[in-house]
């Protein structure tokens, strides 16, 4: 059964529009037919995304490990774990994070990046996600790692034990968890939606806003850029890794391209993918200036979608309903889109003057 709560009433979905936009959905309530407002559509998608990650994050941990994002395969010998770490290192180098940097990790997943930045780079990281289950996993993995490091003299990162994760945590862990050692960093994980980050973090300032594979999910992308600008210190950096469409106007693209973009929208729970130029324009409107040229690493990340799924995960996908099945289909869609040049994976870096 699907994990998505649909609105009360009968839904009648129109065919997919040829201009690349979402189909219009009419909701019948009694004898009156109304159309959801754009705000309703945005809220519904947000709830589906939140529920998707609440349901799937334990499986992601088992299959992909502590990093829920693309891997950057720099050599044929790179394992998936190494490739995911390569992606984090690339963003760290692009953003210029250093010991003591205050980092806001937006859409932090289960905290793998935040822990790396605190443990290896000495950063003070505030990690936010709108998934309560991700908060629970991230806090528990962080607490376990900190506790292990405090009781050992080795610098080897302890491995996570997914089977031992509980479904509840101590509520006091809104606070930073301090890593041991001189110049070591700290991590706190907050249950916070991107749309509320400017208001909720108004009294804080950050040196880096870090967002990996999240902006493409957002309807109001300009709000994110404005919020990131607001919470950054002057001279601070916004670093983005995201999935982009390459067609400037999808309505004028071929039917094959439109089909691939529609599949990504439908299965990856996102509005139309943006272009690099569109992100640049939004960043400029918010007040940012470019810090570096856009870095296209599409060829290095396509292998991410070739990771085989174990039988347990396949059964999980089948029994969890349409969004998890859709994500599995979306894996194939993304692989095709990269291969055909319909989509690209790019790292962007901006600076607040």
């Amino acid at each position: 059964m699907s994990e998505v709560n649909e609105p009360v009433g009968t839904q009648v979905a129109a065919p997919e529009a040829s201009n690349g936009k979402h189909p219009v959905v009419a909701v019948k309530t009694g004898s009156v037919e109304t159309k959801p407002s754009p705000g309703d559509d945005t809220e519904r998608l947000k709830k589906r995304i939140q529920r998707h990650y609440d349901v799937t994050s334990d499986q992601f941990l088992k299959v992909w490990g502590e990093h829920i994002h693309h891997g950057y395969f720099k050599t044929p010998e790179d394992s998936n774990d190494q490739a995911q770490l390569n992606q984090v290192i690339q963003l760290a180098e692009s953003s210029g994070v250093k010991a003591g940097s205050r980092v806001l990790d937006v859409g932090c997943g289960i905290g793998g990046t935040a822990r790396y930045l605190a443990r290896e780079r000495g950063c003070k990281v505030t990690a936010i996600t709108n998934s309560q289950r991700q908060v629970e996993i991230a806090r528990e993995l962080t607490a376990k790692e900190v506790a292990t490091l405090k009781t050992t003299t080795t610098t080897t990162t302890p491995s996570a034990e997914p089977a031992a994760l509980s479904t509840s945590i101590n509520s006091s862990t809104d606070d930073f968890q301090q890593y041991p050692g001189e110049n070591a960093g700290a991590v706190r994980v907050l249950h916070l939606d991107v749309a509320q980050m400017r208001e909720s973090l108004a009294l804080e300032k950050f040196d880096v806003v870090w967002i990996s594979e999240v902006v493409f999910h957002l309807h109001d992308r300009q709000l994110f850029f404005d919020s990131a600008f607001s919470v950054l210190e002057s001279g601070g950096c916004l670093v983005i890794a995201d999935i982009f469409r390459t067609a400037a106007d999808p309505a004028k693209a071929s039917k094959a391209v439109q089909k691939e973009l529609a599949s990504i929208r439908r299965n990856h729970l996102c509005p139309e993918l943006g272009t690099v130029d569109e992100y640049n324009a939004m960043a400029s409107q918010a007040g940012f200036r470019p810090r570096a040229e856009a870095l296209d690493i599409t060829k290095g990340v396509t292998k991410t979608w070739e990771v085989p799924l174990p039988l347990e995960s396949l059964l999980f996908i089948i029994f969890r309903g349409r969004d998890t099945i859709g994500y599995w289909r979306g894996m194939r869609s993304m692989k095709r889109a990269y291969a055909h040049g319909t989509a690209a994976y790019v790292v962007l870096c901006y600076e607040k003057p």
Side-chain angles (χ1 to χ4, degrees):
M1 181 178 292
S2 173
E3 290 294 319
V4 180
N5 292 329
E6 300 294 353
V8 176
T10 304
Q11 295 191 27
V12 183
E16 186 77 24
S18 61
N19 63 359
K21 295 183 179 180
H22 288 292
V24 175
V25 179
V27 180
K28 291 183 177 180
T29 54
S31 60
V32 180
E33 184 175 292
T34 61
K35 294 179 180 179
S37 69
D40 291 337
D41 185 57
T42 299
E43 193 62 30
R44 287 181 61 210
L45 179 59
K46 184 184 294 185
K47 289 180 179 179
R48 286 180 67 188
I49 294 169
Q50 180 178 348
R51 187 175 293 273
H52 171 72
Y53 285 111
D54 280 344
V55 168
T56 60
S57 289
D58 288 273
Q59 285 295 317
F60 281 136
L61 177 58
K62 292 177 181 179
V63 176
W64 276 296
E66 64 173 343
H67 295 283
I68 306 178
H69 56 70
H70 283 68
Y72 182 17
F73 293 84
K74 302 182 77 171
T75 72
E77 293 75 30
D78 283 343
S79 65
N80 188 60
D81 288 344
Q82 182 60 52
Q84 288 176 314
L85 184 57
N86 290 344
Q87 189 261 20
V88 176
I89 293 171
Q90 179 60 64
L91 268 64
E93 292 175 350
S94 295
S95 64
V97 294
K98 55 187 178 182
S101 291
R102 297 161 297 173
V103 179
L104 176 60
D105 182 4
V106 181
C108 66
I110 55 177
T113 294
R115 286 187 292 277
Y116 169 84
L117 291 174
R119 184 183 66 244
E120 304 296 337
R121 302 272 177 158
C123 299
K124 187 176 183 181
V125 187
T126 296
I128 66 172
T129 172
N130 71 348
S131 164
Q132 181 59 43
R133 183 57 186 147
Q134 287 189 339
V135 171
E136 293 168 356
I137 296 173
R139 288 176 172 176
E140 186 163 353
L141 289 177
T142 303
K144 285 183 176 181
E145 181 169 88
V146 169
T148 301
L149 289 174
K150 285 180 177 179
T151 58
T152 181
T153 57
T154 179
T155 58
T156 303
T157 304
S159 59
E161 296 292 342
L165 291 179
S166 67
T167 57
S168 63
I169 56 163
N170 191 311
S171 61
S172 67
T173 48
D174 268 0
D175 297 331
F176 281 97
Q177 298 191 57
Q178 180 65 49
Y179 276 69
E182 187 177 358
N183 299 321
V187 173
R188 66 171 170 172
V189 184
L190 304 179
H191 188 206
L192 182 64
D193 189 82
V194 175
Q196 281 77 52
M197 75 181 200
R198 175 165 51 180
E199 178 181 349
S200 298
L201 302 172
L203 299 180
E204 302 187 45
K205 289 294 183 183
F206 298 91
D207 302 301
V208 175
V209 173
W210 178 301
I211 186 163
S212 180
E213 301 171 26
V214 175
V215 181
F216 83 102
H217 276 307
L218 306 178
H219 271 274
D220 194 343
R221 292 166 182 159
Q222 187 63 58
L223 174 61
F224 164 72
F225 280 95
D226 293 343
S227 299
F229 189 87
S230 178
V231 301
L232 275 170
E233 285 280 16
S234 179
C237 170
L238 166 61
V239 63
I240 300 172
D242 216 9
I243 304 157
F244 297 86
R245 76 172 195 273
T246 56
D249 185 355
K252 296 180 181 179
S254 68
K255 289 184 178 179
V257 167
Q258 290 185 21
K259 184 177 180 180
E260 286 180 344
L261 291 174
S263 178
I264 291 171
R265 290 198 309 272
R266 182 172 59 252
N267 295 316
H268 285 271
L269 305 178
C270 62
E272 186 69 82
L273 294 179
T275 65
V276 170
D277 286 344
E278 288 171 353
Y279 279 40
N280 287 340
M282 288 184 282
S284 178
Q285 182 175 326
F288 287 104
R289 63 190 179 196
R291 175 176 279 192
E293 293 291 328
L295 178 63
D296 188 329
I297 58 173
T298 308
K299 291 183 179 179
V301 304
T302 54
K303 191 176 176 181
T304 298
W305 301 103
E306 298 175 6
V307 175
L309 295 178
L311 178 60
E312 177 188 357
S313 296
L314 291 173
L315 292 174
F316 174 86
I317 287 170
I318 293 170
F319 287 107
R320 273 300 184 178
R322 74 174 190 184
D323 282 345
T324 50
I325 293 173
Y327 188 85
W328 177 58
R329 290 173 176 165
M331 292 172 66
R332 294 178 294 172
S333 299
M334 194 68 74
K335 185 178 178 180
R336 288 195 298 267
Y338 285 150
H340 298 158
T342 302
Y345 191 93
V346 182
V347 177
L348 301 175
C349 196
Y350 305 101
E351 182 175 304
K352 178 176 180 176

